[in-house]
Amino acid sequence: MSSAPPAQVPIPKRGVDYRNKVVLAPMVRSGELPTRLLALKYGADLVWGPETIDQALIGTTRRINPHNGSAEFSRLPSNGSRKPTSEQKESIIYRLHPERERGRLIFQMGTSNPARAVQAAKLVAADVAGIDVNAGCPKPFSTLGGMGAALLETPDKLCAILSALVEQVGTPYEIGISVKIRILKEAERTERLVRQLCATGIIGLTVHCRTTPMRPRERAIRDQLRMIAGVCRESGVACIMNGDVESREHALALMTEFGVDGAMLATSAESNPSCFRLSKDGGLAPWRQLVDEYLHIALGVDNKWANAKFMLINFIPGKDPVHIQIHKSKCYTTACRYLGLADLHERALEVDERLGLGEHALADVRDAELSAAGIARDLEDVASRFDSLSVRQGNDIPADSSHLSASQGILMGA
């Protein structure tokens, strides 16, 4: 008699099952709205937004951008002061698209306190399919505050955070709560931690197959992965693997090999989000196509230019001349000119104006006009010299251009 399949933690009505999914990892800068939308276009099943600290989100106001329909959570920056001045411009802390990301966006939070985690999560819960707690970031800005990988050393606190989110956010808002961890040096400690986490009511657990001291350049360690997947399966919790997953094909192969439920792509998606597309469906898109599509999306959601510039530099090969040109660009208008995207010129001007980059955009237009005028003058000068030389030497104008002067022929490409 065959044994019954293991029970699964029920997926909330508005939540999403992480099983059989290849997903975009939470990445600071690289995980903003345009990248997420591009990843979804190329087949990502789910997308994690960049880690957002609970205290940064608390106090924000949700507004719909009238130009593109995105939801923006913004607040006045404190700049270290408890009383920001009214003259300050609000900063957008988080941006999502309620329609285009519906049912596929997971909000990742940096937190070290159950009450703050709940307060922050409630602000975005109605717009996302799940809340994920970051318990794996090794960077000092996170660990020094008791967040990220520091939570791996305080499992009771981490479990308290997850339990509070399940009870006070997951249940009332009908979305899933999950956690992302790193492996511990000793497999026994990792197993004990995973069992504790799975008992909190979470629906999913992502494991980054590196220890806290390890950096991305060091190869992922998968020795503990089958054990972690087994513990999650016993508890009915979906297990997603992360670390050196290069493409959808690679993800599917690793899922089969290690018995995990899903896989998360990070570095490969940062350089080319089309890595979610199967080879038989076209595989990786060439960088020029990727850049064109990305800019259409970025302009369509008024994405910050600094973030767009960062992503373009990631996409464009370092040896290509336009890579250096984008480095020098100060606005969308300039970038579109360097990339030869004339169809985006007017939209780039409009977005630059809204983003407060109008001065740079207008300067670029003036420079382009002056450059074009200079080229025209140079051509006219060359043509005039050719005319004079032709007259002196008695050369005939070619038969197919006999109705034109020599200078006209040169300027028109004859």
Side-chain angles (χ1 to χ4, degrees), residues 293-414:
E293 293 173 334
Y294 175 83
L295 279 172
H296 273 83
I297 295 173
L299 288 169
V301 297
D302 288 8
N303 192 50
K304 293 179 181 178
W305 163 243
N307 179 252
K309 179 177 180 177
F310 174 79
M311 293 308 303
L312 291 173
I313 290 171
N314 279 340
F315 296 158
I316 300 170
K319 294 182 179 180
D320 195 285
V322 78
H323 188 273
I324 297 175
Q325 293 174 322
I326 296 300
H327 256 294
K328 298 177 180 178
S329 300
K330 297 181 179 180
C331 60
Y332 280 107
T333 304
T334 308
C336 290
R337 179 166 63 87
Y338 283 144
L339 289 163
L341 300 176
D343 61 313
L344 290 178
H345 179 72
E346 291 302 321
R347 189 187 304 180
L349 283 171
E350 293 174 6
V351 173
D352 281 337
E353 184 64 32
R354 285 200 293 272
L355 295 179
L357 302 173
E359 182 179 344
H360 295 304
L362 290 176
D364 179 78
V365 171
R366 288 195 298 270
D367 289 345
E369 290 174 347
L370 290 172
S371 177
I375 292 172
R377 285 195 301 271
D378 290 343
L379 285 173
E380 288 176 357
D381 182 60
V382 170
S384 176
R385 291 172 183 269
F386 181 80
D387 281 347
S388 298
L389 182 63
S390 297
V391 170
R392 288 199 301 270
Q393 295 182 352
N395 290 339
D396 294 329
I397 303 301
D400 60 350
S401 301
S402 58
H403 62 292
L404 300 173
S405 69
S407 60
Q408 287 176 318
I410 289 176
L411 290 172
M412 297 181 65

Side-chain angles (χ1 to χ4, degrees), residues 65-219:
N65 187 312
H67 301 289
N68 53 59
S70 64
E72 299 172 348
F73 295 81
S74 60
R75 58 177 295 177
L76 288 172
S78 62
N79 295 326
S81 171
R82 293 187 178 183
K83 294 182 178 180
T85 63
S86 57
E87 291 78 16
Q88 289 178 295
K89 185 178 180 180
E90 288 196 348
S91 297
I92 297 174
I93 304 301
Y94 198 81
R95 178 190 276 120
L96 57 85
H97 203 289
E99 297 301 324
R100 299 168 72 180
E101 294 187 286
R102 184 186 300 278
R104 298 185 289 178
L105 172 62
I106 308 300
F107 177 86
Q108 192 187 63
M109 181 193 307
T111 185
S112 62
N113 178 278
R116 284 202 307 268
V118 169
Q119 186 180 358
K122 285 181 176 181
L123 294 171
V124 296
D127 289 304
V128 301
I131 303 289
D132 187 73
V133 173
N134 183 339
C137 179
K139 296 180 180 179
F141 82 85
S142 188
T143 56
L144 290 176
M147 302 179 291
L151 289 169
L152 300 177
E153 304 302 324
T154 56
D156 291 341
K157 179 192 291 185
L158 177 55
C159 288
I161 292 170
L162 294 172
S163 295
L165 286 170
V166 169
E167 296 169 8
Q168 300 177 52
V169 180
T171 298
Y173 287 91
E174 299 182 301
I175 59 174
I177 306 299
S178 58
V179 65
K180 186 172 185 285
I181 67 169
R182 286 186 172 228
I183 59 172
L184 301 174
K185 187 175 181 180
E186 300 82 14
E188 296 78 12
R189 288 185 62 212
T190 303
E191 179 179 356
R192 186 162 58 250
L193 173 66
V194 172
R195 290 190 183 280
Q196 285 181 270
L197 299 177
C198 287
T200 62
I202 59 174
I203 67 161
L205 180 146
T206 300
V207 56
H208 186 157
C209 297
R210 291 183 173 90
T211 60
T212 299
M214 292 176 68
R215 293 298 176 261
R217 64 179 178 275
E218 301 177 74
R219 297 300 298 174

Side-chain angles (χ1 to χ4, degrees), residues 42 246-247 268 272-279 282-286 289:
Y42 277 104
E246 299 172 358
S247 65
S268 56
N272 192 325
S274 67
C275 61
F276 289 98
R277 184 168 64 179
L278 290 169
S279 296
L284 290 177
Q289 175 184 332

